[in-house]
Each structure stands twice: as structure tokens, then as C-alpha cells.
Amino acid sequence: MYLGLVFIVMIVTGSFILLSMQKTETDKARSQLELYAEKVSEQVVESYDEADFQTGIEQFTRTSSSGSQIQGNIINDKGETVASTTVSQPPFPDYKNSVVGLALSGENGFDDSRKDDESNTTWICYATPAMTINGNVKYIVYAQMDASSMQESMTQTTRTIIVAVLLALVLAVLMAYGFARTITGPIHQLTLKAKLLAEGDLKQTVEVYSEDEIGQLAESFNYMASELNKTVGETFREKNKLEAILHNMTDGVISFDKDGNISHANTVAAEMLEVDKLDFTLDMFTRKYDLELDESNNNEEEGQAVQLQYTFPVGKKYINASFSPYFNETEEIEGIVVVLQDITKQKKLDDMRKEFVANVSHEMRTPLTTIKSYTETLMYGALEEKDVAMEFLNIINNETDRMSFLVRDLLQLSRFDNKQVQFKFGKVNINELISDNVRQNKIHAENKNQKLILELWPDNDAYVVADRDRVNQVINNITTNAIKYSPEGATVRIYVTEDKNWYKINVADTGMGISKEDLPRIFERFYRVDKARSRAMGGTGLGLAIAKEIMEGHDGKLTAESEYGKGTTMTMWFLKGQDNRITDDGDDFE
């Protein structure tokens, strides 16, 4: 900028000088030409006849001091030159330019840059009319001066100005360098150090070269950098401790300032709320999850506020939010800290507990009501009628068996929940297992005119490591359900498949099937697809839940595939290569 300023000043100054000189020289030449033309008009045109104009103008040139520099011509009203200083006799030069044209129209004409193409000379021209008494133009005095000397002078001046500009720029560069070394150098160093400081490199110092204002600025910068390094270090350590605490918490934490904007938050909070970024305000947060903060709970006398708690769903999760305000030194609320806890498991357990109690109560109430009704009937006289009494006693016996089955299944599930079930593992031949099951259930299938198809595994020595009785219980439960919930004439097929890691025992039926909505819940306790039909058939709703627990105890799994109206396929998965679990001495493995 400094060099540019110097350059601009020199260019403007040089241009002004050149233009001023050009104007001065032009005005000087015009004055000379005007004076020359005026004298020629007085001493020649007005004093001689036209025939003697040549003699008169030559006489005037010899006696005039400027005659040698100016060429004079007298032109008549027809534009013909009748006398000239350039030649002594006709033919005289012919001048037909704009200056002559103006003079013929009665006005003075001037041109400071007329170019002569033949001689390649630039002329300064002036023409003035010599008027008659009645105001007509009779003659024109035309004078011209060679502008070469003036142009040479302007060229020389231009060279001088250019040299001066270059010298001035060189001197400006030298001065700028010296100025930068003494003034801008330390400032530039301070700027670079300040940028590094702003980028986080706090260990910055600058050299102090003098005791002037710049030296004092450098000392102040060094002191500031040192103090800032200490302060940032302490802040960083505190921040790290706070972040370590926040991000290692299992609970989500969000801190809102007094304006409702988030000041701190950990990643657990974003995960709990299922958002990619926590970029909302307190109002947005409460509106999104339909929470109402009651400010009347604030206890202003003690400078404390009652902690507010809310439970709200987020997707498939349930979150408990605790709102606690914090205060500044004047006991004014400075912001609110929200602690989020994922209580989905507790919520599900609580719901399962409530549902379990309701289901057990319902399952026990129905047979108890039946038993009580028939017992009261027998007590009030039905005992006298033997046939009626026997029928009632059979019903009471069946309902008692139903309650016994229910209690047995509940106790069995309770043992699974408390890890009290022990398995006795051994090699179980797959073909023998499914053959025994078919024999047990064949009569039930024939009673409903159903086809019970057995497809043995090609490898007759194939086996799984399992508790034979428990596994038989599972496959018997699945086969019984397939027969029970399939219509007459249906087909139940038992077959084995395998892949790299698993043997799979499949039981496929062509019954009513299970809808997509019910399929994920069939292994839940007391869950029935068709509740009325299941109870009529004597089911407790616990069979598949027990079967699932048994398979998981074998490190396997129980899965179901079904299409409503077309049938269901239940699959028992057994891991291959579990020989290490076999107990030859008869001990039980949990």
C-alpha cells in the first residue's frame, strides 16, 4: 500500500506537470500565431493591393522577429492562396483544412495538432478572417508553426518524470524496508504469534527489541500469553474431569442455561433420546416429549427447588427425567440440569409382573369358580342323584387337574427364572428322538384324520447332546400343538435339516397359521393366539414359554415361521459338537 501510494502520487504529479506544460506551450504558440496574423492583416492585407501581397508578406517576414519560426499565408475568399512565405512565386501551397474552413465562415480557427501526411510533420495552425466594411470575408490570414520542438520538449520532460518516478519508487522501497524492520516487523511478529495463540498454541512469546510503545506491547503480549496458558490449563483440567464424569455415567445428563440453551450434555443423553445431535432448547425439549414444568414447586425461602420427575416414551424405550435447577451466588436460578434414566427394563418387568398376576388370577379364577359352583350344587342335594353327582365330580376333577397343570407349569418356569433347573446331557440319536415322538402322538393325529409324516435323517448315527427327557418334552409340546390347532385332514410333517453349525428338528403343519401381529409374541407367558379355543382345549399358555427356556438351556433356540391360513413351522436348533457337555458319571449340569 505504501509503494502503491507513492506510485499513484508520482503518476498524478507527473501527469499534471505534463498537461500544464503542454497547455502553457500551446497557449504561447497560439498567442504568437494570433499576433503574427494580426500584424500581417494590418501591415500587408490592409496596406497592399492583392497583386503586391507577396512583396508585402516577404517584407514583413524580414522585419518580424518571429518571421523565421512561423509560415504565413494569405488566402482569398475562394480558398486560393495568393501570398505565402514558403515560396516566392506561384503556385502557392493550397490549404483546405478545418481551420481555414472556420475562417471562411467568419470565425477564428485554431488547431494545435494538424498532421501533414506528406512531410510527416505536426503543425500548430491559426487562421483569422480579414473582413470588408459590409462584414464579408474577403481574405484569410493563415499562419502555422512547426510543433516538433514543443513535442521534443514534452518528450524530454516525460522521460525526466518517468526517471523521477522510478527513483522515487526505489527510494520508497528502501524506506519501506527500513520502516518494516523497525515498526511493522515487530507488529508482524506479534500478529503471527497471536494467530498461533488463537489456534490453541498457548506457549508463545515475542522478542522485545525496544522500550517504546511497540516494546511495551510485546511485553504485554508475553504476560497475557503466560496468564492465558495458566488459565486455559486449569480450565482444561476441570473440563476434562467434568467430561470424564459425564461421559462415563450410565445416565444421560443435559444442562440448560437460564436462556434454555444446552450448555453441557453427554453422549448417553443423545442415545437415550435417539437423536443424532442435541440441538434443541428447554422449551423444545418439554414440548417434544409433552412435559410440563411446574414453577410453583420452587422453594424460594431455602434457595432450592423441588426436583421434578417425569416418565415418557422414546421409541420402544421408557425414559425417566429428573429436573433439578441450580442457582448462582444471588440465589437466582441459573439453569436446569436434566438427568435421564432408561427404565425400559424396569417398566417391562413391572408390566410383565402385572400381566402375569392378572393372567394367573384369571386362569385360577375360572376353574375355582367352576369347582365352587358344582361343589355348592352337590352340597344342596345333588349328591342324592348319583348320575348327576358323578358328572359334577368328573368336572371338578378335570378343573382340579387343570389347576394342577397350571401350578406345575408355573413352578417349572419359576425354577427356570431362579436358575434351579439342571440338565442331564447325553448323546441323543435324532432319528430315535423323532420316532419316539411320532409314536406318542400318532393316535391323536388319527383321531382327527390327520397325516403325521416322519422323515428320518439319512445319517442314522446323527446325534445331538441334550437332556433327552427335556428335549422330548419340547418336541412333544410342539407336535401336540400342531395336531391340536390343525383341522381334520391336515398334515403334520416332522423332518430334520442341518447347516454348518446346527441340526434343526422341524415340525410343520398345514393348520390355521399365525398372523404376523401374533407371531413375535407366541413365546410369551400366557399369550394365546385364540384364547377361547386354547382354554377349551386345555392349554395354559405356558407350554411354548417352557419349551423356549429348555432350548436356551441347551445353548440352542426355538423359532417359528408361519403364514396365516397356510400353516406353521416350528424349528428346534441344536448346536453341533457339544460333546464336552456329556456327563458319563451321571452328574447333572446346570
Side-chain angles (χ1 to χ4, degrees), residues 272 274 311-320 341-352:
M272 285 187 178
E274 296 183 354
T311 299
F312 56 91
V314 177
K316 296 182 179 180
K317 298 185 296 187
Y318 287 90
I319 304 299
N320 180 69
Q341 293 177 312
D342 188 347
I343 60 169
T344 305
K345 291 183 178 179
Q346 296 90 320
K347 177 73 174 173
K348 288 183 177 179
L349 288 173
D350 188 53
D351 292 342
M352 288 175 64

Side-chain angles (χ1 to χ4, degrees), residues 65 79 125 160 193 239 253 268 306 348 363 391 449 465 571:
S65 60
C125 308
T160 303
K193 296 291 185 179
K239 181 175 179 291
V253 178
V268 178
V306 177
K348 288 183 177 179
E363 295 292 339
E391 181 182 354
N449 295 321
V465 176
T571 304

Side-chain angles (χ1 to χ4, degrees), residues 315-330:
K316 296 182 179 180
K317 298 185 296 187
Y318 287 90
I319 304 299
N320 180 69
S322 299
F323 292 78
S324 302
Y326 58 93
F327 303 86
N328 58 18
E329 63 278 2
T330 59

